[in-house]
Amino acid sequence: MTIQAKRRSAALLVALTAVAAPISAYAAGEQPAPSAAAHDAFKIVSLGDSVSLGYEPGVTRAADVYGYADRLYVNALLHGRAELANYGALGLQSAGLTRLLAGAAEGRKLTADELQDYAAYDPAAKAQADAVAASAPALRDSLADADLVTLTIGGNDFAALVRDLVGKTDGDAASSFETAFDEKLNIYAEQLQANLRTLRSLAPGARIEVADQYSPVSKIVGESLYGQLNASTAKLSAKLDELQTSLAAEGIAVDIVHIGGAFLGKEALYTHFSPVFGVTDIHPTQTGYETIARAFAAPLWPEYTEVAPSDKAANPAPTVYIKGKLLATLNKPQLKSNTTFLALSDVAAATGAELQWDNKTKTATFKQNGRVVKLTIGAKTIDVGGVKQALNVPAYLQTIGKESKTYVPLAAITQGLDYQVVYQAKLHTAFINS
């Protein structure tokens, strides 16, 4: 990534959420199958460089960041409760990852400068890396309970070599690149192997997926240069396959996610790199991130779902998925006082809960799994198992055709019914799981 690109939006990426999760057992040398059934949530940890972070040049708001990890999170939410902890750091190299994992193992807060030399980076980029480094103890907790760990690392190790080669097309430059690349590849493989050993010790119950590298350069640079760069990425991919076999012999299971081949021939569409126009940013476009997400998802679920963004202008209330199913009903979600309301009957039908209505008291009683929740129209409280809890906005009745429907705020669904409600701003979509 260029320093100029980092300056554009790094400051908006400092505050990314980190959460913790429980452990699942698996046999040595085998990857655990994805399942939220054993816990309250399927917990994903995204780790590595700015590709894991979801960085893209031109981003002006943190809410617009939507990378491969976010897409994996959405697909997990379509299967049940899920959580995402993203520890991607701008500019992170393999050596920096080694130090970050060491800090996590020790439960010690770090700084960006303790990870690697950030002197050449914009202060905003360094601040984002500082936030990740300081979260090393939280990273330890997240990894300990993770169900899935995804890793992208190496782009910053090789980026300078790629840019130098693009600027030099003679035979001597090509020969020099190959020698330098092979040296860098050997160092990278050794560091990655050590990092994966540490990662397995920190995340004993997680499925670990690590991506290979893609070449961002399209054929516009010429057949010879294009061929050499893709030969190099193929060599790196083969090296990671060897590493996977070596680690398996130690009882350490990892998946190698091959994204290099998926980008081949589609670089101009999948990345922002365009040397003809002076753009040297190597990060994926939204289409590129979608492709990476599909590759990471392949070992996890039989199908990958691309959730299209909802048109906020046409539909002020978000689109809603309940237990992985799109809520398609005449009782449309409503937005009132900047709060999203859903028809309680739709929630009950989608989750298999029992719903009763007392017309005299205007009270809806919702029963599921021994939990009894009562919501009275207009009340600023909700009754959960006989205990009153405050509710910022009350339920109301809305007439749909000849029927009156009880509409409840999303907060009541989370607070009273004990469902997980996740709102994805980029998609203008809410995911509800019981």
Side-chain angles (χ1 to χ4, degrees), residues 103-125:
E106 298 168 6
R108 182 169 61 90
K109 291 184 178 181
L110 303 171
T111 66
D113 287 332
E114 288 179 280
L115 299 182
Q116 61 191 50
D117 184 5
Y118 271 91
Y121 286 75
D122 180 87

Side-chain angles (χ1 to χ4, degrees), residues 53-367:
L53 185 64
Y55 178 88
E56 193 176 3
V59 170
T60 58
R61 301 185 311 151
D64 288 333
V65 175
Y66 192 59
Y68 84 79
D70 304 290
R71 289 169 161 89
L72 281 179
Y73 182 34
V74 165
N75 271 259
L77 288 167
L78 293 175
H79 290 82
R81 290 189 181 221
E83 295 174 359
L84 169 66
N86 197 319
Y87 294 90
L90 291 169
L92 192 69
Q93 299 175 11
S94 295
L97 176 63
T98 299
R99 298 181 185 106
L100 178 62
L101 291 175
E106 298 168 6
R108 182 169 61 90
K109 291 184 178 181
L110 303 171
T111 66
D113 287 332
E114 288 179 280
L115 299 182
Q116 61 191 50
D117 184 5
Y118 271 91
Y121 286 75
D122 180 87
K126 182 180 177 181
Q128 191 276 328
D130 260 327
V132 174
S135 298
L139 172 59
R140 177 186 61 182
D141 294 339
S142 294
L143 290 173
D145 292 337
D147 295 290
L148 171 67
V149 178
T150 65
L151 174 64
T152 63
I153 196 70
N156 295 301
D157 296 44
F158 296 98
L161 292 178
V162 174
R163 294 192 187 100
D164 285 347
L165 181 60
V166 170
K168 305 171 186 175
T169 57
D170 57 40
D172 290 340
S175 176
S176 175
F177 168 83
E178 187 169 356
T179 299
F181 181 86
D182 287 346
E183 292 175 356
K184 181 71 71 174
L185 177 58
N186 289 331
I187 295 171
Y188 168 72
E190 289 178 8
Q191 290 176 321
L192 180 59
Q193 186 172 41
N195 283 333
L196 289 173
R197 288 190 184 113
T198 303
L199 193 53
R200 173 51 74 203
S201 68
L202 292 171
R207 185 180 197 109
I208 297 175
E209 297 185 359
V210 55
D212 62 6
Q213 298 295 311
Y214 59 86
S215 169
V217 180
S218 67
K219 286 185 178 180
I220 198 170
V221 299
E223 290 287 347
S224 177
L225 177 56
Y226 180 76
Q228 182 171 18
L229 286 171
N230 280 292
S232 297
T233 56
K235 185 185 296 185
L236 184 147
S237 182
K239 191 80 168 180
L240 294 192
D241 288 339
E242 292 175 7
L243 177 59
Q244 179 187 37
T245 301
S246 176
L247 288 171
E250 301 176 25
I252 299 174
V254 298
D255 290 334
I256 304 301
V257 177
H258 295 283
I259 61 176
F263 274 57
L264 184 62
K266 299 178 181 178
E267 299 86 359
L269 177 63
Y270 287 0
T271 79
H272 289 274
F273 195 79
S274 180
V276 173
F277 297 101
V279 179
T280 57
D281 191 287
I282 65 175
H283 288 89
T285 59
Q286 282 294 292
T287 305
Y289 276 123
E290 185 72 37
T291 299
I292 295 172
R294 287 180 180 275
F296 270 107
L300 302 171
W301 303 293
E303 295 182 358
Y304 173 88
T305 302
E306 181 178 355
V307 177
S310 176
D311 186 347
K312 194 171 185 177
N315 303 293
T319 296
V320 175
Y321 284 80
I322 301 180
K323 296 183 69 174
K325 302 295 184 182
L326 177 64
L327 180 62
T329 173
L330 294 176
N331 311 317
K332 299 297 183 184
Q334 300 293 318
L335 190 68
K336 291 179 178 290
S337 302
N338 205 33
T339 300
T340 300
F341 288 79
L342 295 182
L344 188 58
S345 58
D346 289 333
V347 178
T351 59
E354 179 186 347
L355 182 61
Q356 298 173 343
W357 172 251
D358 186 331
N359 194 52
K360 182 178 180 180
T361 61
K362 304 298 182 186
T363 299
T365 301
F366 188 101
K367 298 179 180 179

